[in-house]
Amino acid sequence: MKKFLLTLAAVLLAAVAFAQKYTNPTLEGGDTSKTLDVQLQTLVDSKLDKEALGIKGKTVIGNNCEIGPNSYIENCTIGNEVALDNVHAYDTEIDDDVKAGPFVHLRPGTKLHSKIRIGDFVEVKNSEIGVATCIAHLTYVGDSDVGKDVNFGCGCVTANYDGINKFRTVIGDHCFIGCNTNLVPPVRIGNNASTGAGSTITRDVPENALAVERAETKIIENWEKNFKRKRKA
């Protein structure tokens, strides 16, 4: 009986060790006092920076992930090989091999497919983003369905709210959205289409087309006010 109890105790200790290995991330910087208010399932070799703000709710984190400083994750499903740097994510699904940050806000209803790259000062809300799409910086994507291999230039906005109702933007595969493009939905951008920098798009764009909306550039040579400005150097 004594031998049986010792064997049972050994099995229970092994089970606890196994559970800890597969449910706790490695805490970078040696901070073993970090507490996670979360029903967390974390797999092998994922790292949580000691400066991360928290992981809460029903969150699942896959293999070989890195949750960087100032990140806050709540009710998210995160795949393998994901790196989040200064990201706040809520009720979001992130597939494998996604890189996001710094200063990224992922709001509820967001779905990021694999190999997506999201850079600094980007917000995504209630949108599905296709494989290998790049949203590099200073962009808002809200209530949108975005295809695969889409490139957003700097400063793009999906103007989803008119003050009363919200509308969806649809962007096809392999599109190029030029810098400072405003997409005013409901609007659909066809596959492999492009928008010119500085354009406000209010109509559907056919596939393979270029949409450009700009006022004519006027040049006034030797403008009087140029000579009245004070020079500091």
Side-chain angles (χ1 to χ4, degrees):
M1 184 66 177
K2 182 177 180 181
K3 184 177 180 181
F4 171 76
L5 291 175
L6 289 174
T7 302
L8 179 60
V11 170
L12 291 174
L13 287 172
V16 170
F18 179 86
Q20 287 178 340
K21 177 179 179 182
Y22 286 91
T23 59
N24 290 307
T26 300
L27 299 176
E28 291 288 89
D31 183 2
T32 57
S33 64
K34 192 78 174 182
T35 59
L36 304 178
D37 177 19
V38 59
Q39 298 178 32
L40 176 64
Q41 176 186 339
T42 303
L43 299 180
V44 181
D45 293 330
S46 289
K47 298 177 181 178
L48 173 65
D49 191 279
K50 68 176 183 178
E51 298 300 329
L53 298 179
I55 300 178
K56 296 187 177 182
K58 295 181 179 179
T59 293
V60 177
I61 300 177
N63 296 326
N64 299 308
C65 294
E66 293 188 11
I67 309 301
N70 300 315
S71 294
Y72 181 91
I73 314 297
E74 184 174 309
N75 297 326
C76 294
T77 301
I78 298 173
N80 302 320
E81 306 285 346
V82 172
L84 306 179
D85 177 13
N86 211 315
V87 173
H88 285 212
Y90 305 84
D91 300 288
T92 290
E93 185 177 350
I94 302 174
D95 284 351
D96 297 346
D97 191 23
V98 170
K99 304 291 187 291
F103 310 114
V104 170
H105 189 187
L106 303 176
R107 293 171 59 188
T110 293
K111 162 69 174 178
L112 303 181
H113 288 274
S114 61
K115 300 181 180 179
I116 287 172
R117 300 294 180 263
I118 298 180
D120 52 313
F121 303 104
V122 171
E123 181 175 338
V124 183
K125 172 246 177 186
N126 191 30
S127 297
E128 183 168 359
I129 312 297
V131 173
T133 284
C134 180
I135 311 174
H137 32 223
L138 297 166
T139 290
Y140 172 68
V141 180
D143 298 306
S144 299
D145 301 297
V146 180
K148 63 184 179 182
D149 188 32
V150 174
N151 187 86
F152 285 83
C154 179
C156 297
V157 173
T158 59
N160 58 316
Y161 185 48
D162 67 357
I164 300 175
N165 298 305
K166 294 181 180 180
F167 301 90
R168 293 194 76 80
T169 296
V170 178
I171 301 173
D173 298 336
H174 311 296
C175 290
F176 181 87
I177 310 300
C179 293
N180 292 315
T181 292
N182 295 309
L183 299 173
V184 183
V187 68
R188 181 181 296 268
I189 310 299
N191 292 334
N192 201 43
S194 296
T195 65
S199 297
T200 296
I201 306 300
T202 58
R203 295 187 296 163
D204 290 353
V205 179
E207 64 178 31
N208 302 316
L210 167 65
V212 181
E213 185 278 331
R214 297 178 190 147
E216 180 183 356
T217 300
K218 295 182 179 180
I219 298 177
I220 302 173
E221 295 188 12
N222 297 315
W223 191 39
E224 181 181 359
K225 286 188 178 180
N226 287 338
F227 301 100
K228 293 182 177 180
R229 288 198 304 271
K230 294 182 178 180
R231 268 89 171 150
K232 295 181 180 179

